């Protein structure tokens, strides 16, 4: 699974990012945030942070804040998905740091079909 479907909110309610369920639950378990109602969104859950983050994440960026579906980019299947790196890891490791960041776009989902 590539997209987690959990909303991460600032203390004021600003939508900062979408994170995995594991990451959202980590914030709660560490006492860094509390679960809140995700509202009308089709997201699994939402976590409101108990602290003011240093930045605003992806706030205001519709691409990053949209609800993404875990779907095969080839046929649209929702089952038996695997991550596929467009750029092989052996090459990516040689790239400058800015291309190796967490928000990279070189991973897609493909099904086994």
């Amino acid at each position: 699974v590539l997209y987690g479907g959990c909303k991460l909110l600032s203390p004021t309610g600003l939508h900062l990012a979408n994170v995995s369920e594991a990451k959202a639950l980590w914030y709660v378990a560490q006492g860094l945030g509390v679960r809140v109602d995700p509202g009308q969104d089709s997201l699994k859950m939402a976590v409101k942070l108990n602290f003011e983050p240093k930045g605003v994440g992806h706030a205001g960026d519709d691409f990053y804040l949209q609800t993404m579906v875990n779907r095969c980019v080839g046929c649209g299947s929702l089952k038996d998905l695997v991550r596929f790196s467009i750029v092989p890891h052996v090459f990516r490791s040689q790239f400058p740091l800015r291309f190796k960041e967490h928000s990279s776009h070189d991973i897609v989902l493909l099904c086994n079909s």
Side-chain angles (χ1 to χ4, degrees):
V1 178
L2 189 59
Y3 307 114
C6 297
K7 190 187 283 190
L8 188 63
L9 305 170
S10 73
T12 61
L14 180 65
H15 187 182
L16 301 172
N18 292 330
V19 297
S20 69
E21 188 172 5
K23 178 60 83 175
L25 292 173
W26 179 86
Y27 279 107
V28 173
Q30 297 296 314
L32 300 172
V34 294
R35 284 182 84 150
V36 295
D37 181 10
Q40 299 296 324
D41 295 331
S42 59
L43 297 170
K44 295 178 186 175
M45 65 184 282
V47 171
K48 185 182 260 189
L49 297 175
N50 294 333
F51 64 94
E52 195 62 47
K54 290 182 182 178
V56 293
H58 295 294
D61 189 329
D62 292 339
F63 175 78
Y64 284 104
L65 299 181
Q66 69 181 315
T67 301
M68 303 290 236
V69 178
N70 289 303
R71 173 172 292 165
C72 174
V73 297
C75 70
S77 173
L78 300 172
K79 296 183 179 190
D80 300 319
L81 300 174
V82 295
R83 293 173 183 229
F84 180 81
S85 297
I86 302 296
V87 178
H89 293 287
V90 68
F91 295 127
R92 188 169 187 232
S93 66
Q94 303 301 314
F95 286 2
L97 186 58
R98 66 187 174 104
F99 293 115
K100 296 188 282 188
E101 291 177 337
H102 179 69
S103 61
S104 128
H105 296 285
D106 71 335
I107 298 175
V108 296
L109 292 174
L110 294 174
C111 65
N112 291 327
S113 307

